[in-house]
Amino acid sequence: MVVVGAGIAGVACAGELARAGIPVQVRERARVTGGRMASKRFDGRPADLGAAYLTADDPDFAEVVDRWRAAGLVRPWTDTFVAYDPDGCREVPGPVRWAAPRGLRSLVEHLAGDLRVTHDRLVMTVEPGPRVDGRAATAVVLAMPGPQAALLLDPALAAATAAVTGQRWSSALSAVLRFPARRWPDFRGAFVNGHPVLGLVCDDGDRRGDGAPVLVAHTTPEFATGHLLQPTGAGPAIEQAVRDLLGLPEPAELTHVHRWTYAKPVAGAAGTYHLDDDGIGIAGDAFGRPRVQSAWRSGRDLGRALAARLLADRG
């Protein structure tokens, strides 16, 4: 049994299979576990580059968050953001947003536990059988954005191909900006509406709880689309947009830009996962709202469905 992708959906799926006693391998093309719950260290300090936070209104996922909290991995961050509109600024109440002092990637790593995760392992083809790179597998799960899964699937796997090509995704750039000092008003996180560059800005020092003078900005899909080939070149424009928005007098000491070609699903599918008669499963936050919770539930539900099928086949 092979799971391709070690983001939270893939890890949640593999965890269910392992608990059912089904041998499972997780293959991840990156050097680390986490997927879009990505964190990168700058001078030893983590900053979240992908998902900005998580929320939990599903009771089962809330139990997972409680376990993370008991382990000291998450903390309640805020239930109020601000929104910068073209005509002013206002507060936006909402659910409790949870943050991870060690970075959101640490949560996926914790969830992975003792799973067999092979990093730097690029899967090239998934063929009928099913077969992964020419080798037989009991079943295959693709836990990744649909456009990436489509590149792996043999066209003969018609049901899975139809499921992934039906997904639509938007792009984004995320920029880590470290300033000499904290010169901005207290805002925690800000939705930026009607802006040509910015979509979301988070106070990473507040989010992390260490007070570091670090902001993380996420761009609009339209801005990102024009800079996907050379994302680092967008750094000055993103920095200037953040400084103009918050009235910051000093330039950033560090600017790091990360490209997310497939940042967020904008059109997905019904249900919480795909599983077909060819033995191909597909999981991720395209099945539901684009949330960490949706990705976890998708993987969990697919893992349970696959475990039930495989155990029934054993008779």
Side-chain angles (χ1 to χ4, degrees), residues 268-284:
T272 60
Y273 61 87
H274 168 88
L275 178 59
D276 57 41
D277 293 338
D278 295 312
I280 308 299
I282 300 164

Side-chain angles (χ1 to χ4, degrees), residues 41-47 175-182 184 202 204-205 210-217 239 242-243 248 250-256:
R41 288 186 173 273
F42 300 91
D43 296 329
R45 181 189 181 276
V176 178
L177 305 171
R178 186 180 66 210
F179 289 88
R182 298 176 63 86
W184 49 84
C202 292
D204 197 63
D210 62 0
V214 177
L215 300 173
V216 178
E239 178 190 346
V242 170
R243 290 177 61 194
L248 304 181
E250 299 170 299
E253 296 177 328
L254 176 145
T255 302
H256 174 86

Side-chain angles (χ1 to χ4, degrees), residues 23 43 74 88 98 105 115 126 152 171 184 245 290:
D43 296 329
V74 297
W98 293 82
R105 177 161 61 87
L115 291 173
V126 178
L152 309 184
S171 303
W184 49 84
L245 181 76

